[in-house]
Amino acid sequence: MKRPPPPSSGARRLIRPGDGQAEAEAWAWAQRHRGRPAIAPPPAVSRALAKVLKPLAVHHGPGVSELAEHWAEIVGAPLAAHSRPEKMQAGAGGLTLVVRARGPAAALVEAQSARILERVARYAGRAPKRLRIVQGPLAGLAPAAPRQSQRPAAPSGLDTEAQSLDRIMAEFQRAVEEREGVRIGPAPAPRPKGDE
């Protein structure tokens, strides 16, 4: 039994090599029936954020975190060990740089405030008009270890703690015996001075 030929519209037919018209029809059919392309992923946040932050950084200069990273270069290593920039405040009098200093280092920061403001202006591109100093501990730095007081060595010829305790106990026992009129027991013998 012979099959009837397929209809010409949209029907499949065998493509023989070298048949240009059949290859063009096959290509056109594949283009019409191709699946939809994959959805493009969203753009990277870093690229989108860079487009927003770059113009702001040019206009406003670096932030306090960048100042803190380069603080040793701006004020010098000895002063940077005892101070940190905290924030930039805008006010009616202009821009103010707030610096946190540990203890007496605040006086050193105050003494070099003109130099610090000049260097911050050179680095940041915007010049703070004033420097405000806040005294207190620095965040991120371990507090200085408390110094242990060294007890002076006992001069020779004086009692040690154990000998003085024995002496106090012997005197206490004698006082109790005198008050009560009873002998409590043998008095503890004081320790010799060289024995510890």
Side-chain angles (χ1 to χ4, degrees):
M1 205 170 161
K2 198 172 180 184
R3 285 187 177 179
S8 62
S9 63
R12 295 183 189 174
R13 65 179 188 160
L14 188 61
I15 300 174
R16 302 208 189 311
D19 187 2
Q21 181 185 0
E23 286 179 6
E25 287 177 13
W27 182 252
W29 182 88
Q31 290 297 324
R32 284 191 314 269
H33 292 89
R34 177 173 290 184
R36 289 188 299 184
I39 297 172
V45 174
S46 60
R47 275 190 282 157
L49 194 58
K51 288 179 183 177
V52 173
L53 291 181
K54 193 171 182 178
L56 289 174
V58 169
H59 184 265
H60 295 288
V64 175
S65 60
E66 287 184 42
L67 278 178
E69 287 176 22
H70 300 284
W71 191 243
E73 298 165 13
I74 294 171
V75 299
L79 201 54
H82 302 288
S83 64
R84 290 280 183 271
E86 210 167 68
K87 59 185 167 182
M88 292 269 218
Q89 286 181 331
L95 196 61
T96 303
L97 173 63
V98 179
V99 175
R100 180 171 291 273
R102 185 174 21 199
L108 297 174
V109 173
E110 180 69 31
Q112 297 185 18
S113 61
R115 186 179 131 233
I116 292 171
L117 290 174
E118 176 190 340
R119 287 186 164 190
V120 167
R122 233 184 301 156
Y123 176 77
R126 54 186 180 155
K129 303 287 183 210
R130 292 181 298 163
L131 185 69
R132 194 176 108 211
I133 301 164
V134 178
Q135 285 185 331
L138 302 179
L141 290 180
R147 290 176 30 178
Q148 295 179 353
S149 63
Q150 295 181 350
R151 295 179 61 188
S156 61
L158 295 179
D159 292 341
T160 63
E161 289 178 4
Q163 290 172 341
S164 62
L165 181 62
D166 288 342
R167 189 170 19 95
I168 292 170
M169 290 304 291
E171 289 174 11
F172 177 75
Q173 184 176 347
R174 268 187 245 118
V176 170
E177 288 175 351
E178 286 175 11
R179 186 182 69 213
E180 300 295 326
V182 185
R183 180 144 175 88
I184 296 175
R191 294 181 187 175
K193 289 190 177 185
D195 188 64
E196 290 185 29

